[in-house]
Each structure stands twice: as C-alpha cells, then as structure tokens.
Amino acid sequence: MKIRVLVFGMTYNPGGLESVVMNYYCHIDRQKVQFDFLCYNKEPAYAEEIRRLGGKIKVIPGRKSGVIQNYFTMKKWFRENAHCYAALWENANSLTDIQPLIFAKKYGIPKRIMHSHNSNSMNEPLTAFLHKHHKKQILNLATDFWACSLVAAKWMFCEEIIKSKHFHIITNAIESEKFAFNQTIRDEERTNLGISDYFVVGHVGRFYFQKNQEFLVRIFQEIHKRVPKSVLILVGQGEDEEKIHEQVEKLGLKGAVKFLGVCTNMERLYQAMDIFVLPSHFEGLPLVLLEAQANGLPCYVSDCISKEAQVTSSCQYLSLDLPAEKWADKIMSHENNRNPDAVKEIQNSNYDIQKNAKNLEAFFINGD
C-alpha cells in the first residue's frame, strides 16, 4: 500500500527550502511513498512538476488573509483529510506557525515531523516571541525533529530534543552529477549573457538582510577595481532588490552587475561563473553553496555559515569583520581554478541525494 505524506512549508518562491523538498521528492520511490502539499495563499513553486510526479496540492488562506479564516479552514481540512496520511512533514525557518502540527495530532496523523531549515530570524519581535513560545510546545506535538545542520537544530529545538533518539540531521542533499562542470554549457551560457571574456562573480539568494547582498556589492566593487573586465551576476528576488539596484547605480556599477531574477536552470548558470560568493549573516545550511561546490567553483563564504557546509576543498571561509577590500584581496590572491574532484567529493559525503532519499523513504515506510 502506498504511503502518503503531507508536506507543509513550501511557498511560491523557489528558494532553498523548496529545492530541498523537491530534491527528495524527485528521488524517492513514488510507488511506495507519495507527497501531497498543503500551502498558504498560492500554489507552491514547482507546482507543475509536483502534479506530474503524482502529488496533490491544497491551497488555503494564510494568516494574513485573516487568522480566524485560516484557523477554521485548516481545521476543517485536517478533520476531513488527516486519515489519508501516515505523516506530516512540516518544513520551517522558525516556529511562528505550528498549527499544522496541532491539527495533525488532533486528527490522528501518526508521524509528525518538524524540520528546521534556518538558524535565525533576525529576532523580529513577533517572530521571536512566537518562536520562543512554541519552542516549549513542540515536544508534545511532534514525534520527530529534523534539521539541516546542528546550528539550525539549536535555533529551533531545546537540548532535550537534540539529545533524543527522535532527532536527526537530514542533509540538504543534491544530485551532484547534475551540477558537474561542463565546458560546452559554460561557453554557451557566457555567450548568451554577453560575458564570454569576463571574470564572473556569482551569487544566488533572496534579496534580504540574511544574504547580505549590500556587502557583496561592495566586495565586487573592490574586485572590479582590480579587474575592470569583471561582472557580478545576482540570481534571486526579494524585498531588498530595489535597494540593491540603487546601490549598484550609486556606485557606478550598473553595467557590471546583472540581475537575473529567479532562474530554474541553475545547473547551467553555475557553469558561467568563475567564483561564487555568499557573505550571509546566517544560514541553516545553504543548498546553493553545495550546488556551487559540486560545480567545482571556488566558493568564498562568511564564517557565519556552518562548517558543515564545507564539503569540498574549494570552499573557503572569511570573516564578516573584514572590510570589503580585504575580501577582494583574499579572493584575487587565489588562482580560482575549478576543483576537478568536486563531484566525487560530494558523492563521498553525506550530501548525495541518492542514498539520502533512500533513507528518507525508509523512514516513512518503517517509521524509524
């Protein structure tokens, strides 16, 4: 009999959390385990692919549409549908919303998983209050506790949970071969972008304080002084995008920075880059950093990112206490050649999707 798992936490924005879930979904045996998706307000990213893979999608009003409407719509849906599911898999960056766990327990879903994907929320007052308040409650609501890294676990769970047999690190696993370096694709993408003979700095991330694009642009400004024929490509969208546009124009870098928006062909875009820079203020465990490493790219990242993300020899950590010019000095002092063993290093790590998907599948089938 096929087991059905209800997945919560996916949004319409194809970010890291969404990519992690889809990586697992694409690689499990869907004749044995099938995912369905419960979402707020809009269909999730990859909705077309979800349906192609056999998943169902249910969209209900989010809290911004009205707390009461959200509560009663969700309650009714769980009351009528909970019996179809062997597990709830709630994916979250904070514990602001544990309502799915509450209703999953109330209406009898036996396995209830809370999965932490981040390590901070900038302590916005309401988020901080709800996160702290709910941290005490989830021990009695969830049956299993997952995190993408230890720092993400410590952000979401108490020490009692982390030390228990019900806690597991579920890695942000990737299909490493998909991102392997390919010279032909590199030449095609660089030609398409008009950057064939440029030194290309790459970055992928939501335009938001966490990702620290403001500092990234200052780093690139220093690189551009040293290498005038250089370009920065920024992939993503977010609330700070206009601010970064204004910064780029103010610094006279408009012609040297390309805003590519949301892209679904990252396995091709990494090929076009020469280096990858991720100066984040905090992360759970960035999927894009694993993908960039699989491509063999030299990666320069902030020391706020967990060392668990350093999977290959091409990843180097720098302090955010260093000024932008020192980052540029460090970056330009290296040869910046691609790592020829990158895919093999990923496959020999805990971040290969093939074996991790089998482990996830076994959990849902066997319950441990």
Side-chain angles (χ1 to χ4, degrees):
M1 181 179 174
K2 185 184 294 186
I3 290 169
R4 298 198 83 89
V5 175
L6 180 62
V7 179
F8 180 81
M10 290 266 285
T11 71
Y12 64 90
N13 180 44
L17 184 157
E18 288 75 16
S19 296
V20 169
V21 173
M22 289 304 294
N23 280 351
Y24 278 103
Y25 187 31
C26 290
H27 289 86
I28 60 170
D29 184 343
R30 291 179 300 281
Q31 295 303 310
K32 297 178 180 177
V33 179
Q34 179 58 255
F35 290 175
D36 292 337
F37 296 79
L38 179 66
C39 306
Y40 286 157
N41 298 323
K42 295 182 180 180
E43 290 200 335
Y46 312 107
E48 187 177 327
E49 186 174 5
I50 286 169
R51 289 197 176 93
R52 181 178 61 79
L53 296 173
K56 300 174 184 176
I57 298 169
K58 174 63 179 178
V59 178
I60 65 172
R63 290 183 167 188
K64 290 182 180 178
S65 303
V67 174
I68 294 174
Q69 183 184 14
N70 167 260
Y71 176 88
F72 283 106
T73 304
M74 182 178 286
K75 182 178 181 179
K76 181 177 184 292
W77 190 88
F78 270 92
R79 185 174 66 241
E80 295 174 353
N81 296 279
H83 67 278
C84 300
Y85 296 100
L88 166 75
W89 179 14
E90 179 168 351
N91 298 271
N93 291 317
S94 73
L95 291 172
T96 54
D97 184 5
I98 61 170
Q99 203 160 258
L101 281 178
I102 293 171
F103 288 132
K105 181 177 182 180
K106 180 179 177 67
Y107 293 109
I109 297 181
K111 281 285 177 183
R112 301 176 299 278
I113 305 146
M114 176 56 79
H115 189 160
S116 175
H117 288 267
N118 214 336
S119 62
N120 207 319
S121 66
M122 301 190 301
N123 285 328
E124 295 170 354
L126 181 58
T127 299
F129 170 76
L130 290 172
H131 183 80
K132 185 177 180 180
H133 178 65
H134 291 156
K135 207 169 182 177
K136 302 170 185 175
Q137 297 182 23
I138 59 169
L139 187 59
N140 296 318
L141 294 172
T143 59
D144 296 89
F145 306 88
W146 295 353
C148 61
S149 65
L150 190 55
V151 68
K154 290 178 178 178
W155 155 244
M156 191 166 283
F157 307 131
C158 64
E159 197 67 23
E160 180 183 353
I161 287 174
I162 294 172
K163 289 181 176 179
S164 77
K165 65 179 182 180
H166 301 292
F167 169 74
H168 298 283
I169 296 289
I170 304 296
T171 61
N172 291 353
I174 64 169
E175 186 180 348
S176 50
E177 298 94 334
K178 179 179 177 181
F179 298 96
F181 178 67
N182 184 300
Q183 184 67 51
T184 301
I185 296 175
R186 174 178 169 83
D187 293 341
E188 290 173 357
E189 288 300 317
R190 287 170 72 94
T191 298
N192 292 340
L193 292 167
I195 54 174
S196 295
D197 54 349
Y198 281 72
F199 179 70
V200 181
V201 180
H203 171 84
V204 185
R206 174 185 170 196
F207 285 90
Y208 185 57
F209 169 84
Q210 175 186 358
K211 302 297 181 179
N212 205 11
Q213 284 100 350
E214 191 173 355
F215 184 55
L216 171 64
V217 170
R218 298 206 306 273
I219 295 170
F220 175 69
Q221 182 188 26
E222 296 297 328
I223 291 173
H224 195 58
K225 289 176 184 177
R226 296 158 174 75
V227 187
K229 209 162 188 181
S230 58
V231 66
L232 171 64
I233 57 177
L234 298 173
V235 180
Q237 64 183 11
E239 49 267 59
D240 287 349
E241 186 171 352
E242 186 58 38
K243 183 172 77 173
I244 302 303
H245 271 282
E246 291 171 0
Q247 181 192 12
V248 165
E249 190 151 1
K250 185 178 179 181
L251 294 176
L253 295 170
K254 190 173 180 181
V257 179
K258 292 183 178 291
F259 293 81
L260 302 187
V262 173
C263 299
T264 57
N265 62 336
M266 283 312 306
E267 69 277 7
R268 295 183 65 89
L269 285 176
Y270 289 121
Q271 311 287 353
M273 302 173 187
D274 291 302
I275 65 168
F276 184 81
V277 183
L278 192 67
S280 303
H281 286 292
F282 57 89
E283 293 279 357
L285 196 142
L287 190 75
V288 294
L289 180 54
L290 299 176
E291 294 171 351
Q293 287 180 83
N295 187 254
L297 281 165
C299 299
Y300 298 91
V301 306
S302 77
D303 60 2
C304 298
I305 297 173
S306 169
K307 290 295 191 294
E308 293 167 80
Q310 188 179 31
V311 186
T312 75
S313 56
S314 62
C315 184
Q316 299 186 49
Y317 287 78
L318 297 170
S319 172
L320 288 181
D321 292 333
L322 292 174
E325 56 267 31
K326 291 296 183 183
W327 273 65
D329 288 343
K330 292 280 187 180
I331 290 168
M332 300 314 299
S333 68
H334 290 86
E335 292 184 2
N336 289 319
N337 296 321
R338 268 181 168 79
N339 175 6
D341 300 317
V343 170
K344 189 181 296 183
E345 289 180 32
I346 296 283
Q347 289 173 336
N348 291 335
S349 74
N350 291 323
Y351 295 92
D352 182 69
I353 191 61
Q354 304 295 343
K355 61 184 178 183
N356 281 288
K358 290 297 178 188
N359 292 338
L360 197 80
E361 182 185 305
F363 170 84
F364 287 125
I365 293 171
N366 302 321
D368 53 36

